[in-house]
Amino acid sequence: MYILGIESSCDETAAAIVEDGKHLISNVISTSVKEQALYGGVVPEIASRRHAEYISATVQQALQDANMAIADVDAVAVTFAPGLIGAVLVGVNFAKGLAYGAGKPLVPVHHLRGHIAANYLTHPQLEPPSQLEPPFLCLVASGGHSHIVQVEDWCKYHVLGRTVDDAAGEAFDKVARTLGLPYPGGPSVSQAAKTGDPHYYKLPTPHVEGKYNVSFSGLKTAVVNEVHNAQQRGEEVRVADMAASFQERIAQILAKKLLAAAADTNAKTICLAGGVAANGRLRQLVNDGAQKLGAKVYLPELKYCGDNGAMIAAQGYYEFKDGNIADLTLNGLPTLAIDYR
Ligand code: KG4
Ligand code: ZN
């Protein structure tokens, strides 16, 4: 079964064809990230306008790369929530028109479920025991969300913990901005951290209610204060050392909470998902910790960590099989729980 996946919830306009929820056929991403970088973050209206400009060509290219026409796909899957609403609506309305015109089923996909499905694309082996399939425990960390989720079945989730304030990616972006590093902050902080001392700055581990909840607002503020204090004293901020110290602290917090949840729930399989899953230090800490627990780790390939259409097509396959098919009244939503039914 071939699914066309369309994604437009943030600053990537993306389309892909995936076979049976696992096998990538084509994958096209157009992005307004360079333009967004001029402003130090995503300007929603710019994102929406670029989606409107890019979406037809992006979808056409995905079909062309797959050597397919729209008649050859079995369903059109689209991110309908959560995300920047003006951006989401571009993809939703395009997918509606396309599905209606071609007489194909329209499958609504939750963006974070899509991030989790990026792992199925990375580990498509057909035979157990190497095949990745639910149940497993997953940390989903993106620019807008940080969740620790039990993936109980392909379309069934139980949230164990979440951020009580900022998302992990948001904290990376804010810290990058404070340090004068370019947007998006995750890659630029990681790059700067390579030459820094992760123990130079003593940054706090915020206390938070809820055993598997996380909080990054205090950590972010600690970096901002440290930088401002240094500036007021006329001292130079040690950018690489601060980047490394921040990355170390946030990766430690995320890994510790995920591994505690894994130990308590006796998870046999652990996954990472979302843009922050590209972070090398986080991947290393989770790998090492899981080994000690005797749990298997599946990490998404770097090209599937950020927003893409393939992850939407992959999850779209399982949503379709689960009977999750929308009619033409489908709306976009800025927020929606991952375990919505
Ligand atoms: O999942 P994603 O591409 O978009 C959203 O759904 O938000 O995540 C984007 C976030 C950004 O905040 C970006 O700074 C962060 O993921 N990110 C990273 C890395 N690459 C991207 N954070 C830490 N380390 C990275 N290597
Ligand atoms: Zn995302």
Side-chain angles (χ1 to χ4, degrees), residues 52-67:
E53 286 172 8
Y54 300 160
I55 196 157
S56 302
T58 305
V59 171
Q60 254 168 13
Q61 192 65 50
L63 286 167
Q64 198 177 315
D65 289 356
N67 215 358

Side-chain angles (χ1 to χ4, degrees), residues 172-190:
F172 268 99
D173 295 338
K174 183 67 203 257
V175 163
R177 208 165 153 165
T178 306
L179 293 175
L181 299 169
Y183 174 85
S188 58
V189 168
S190 291

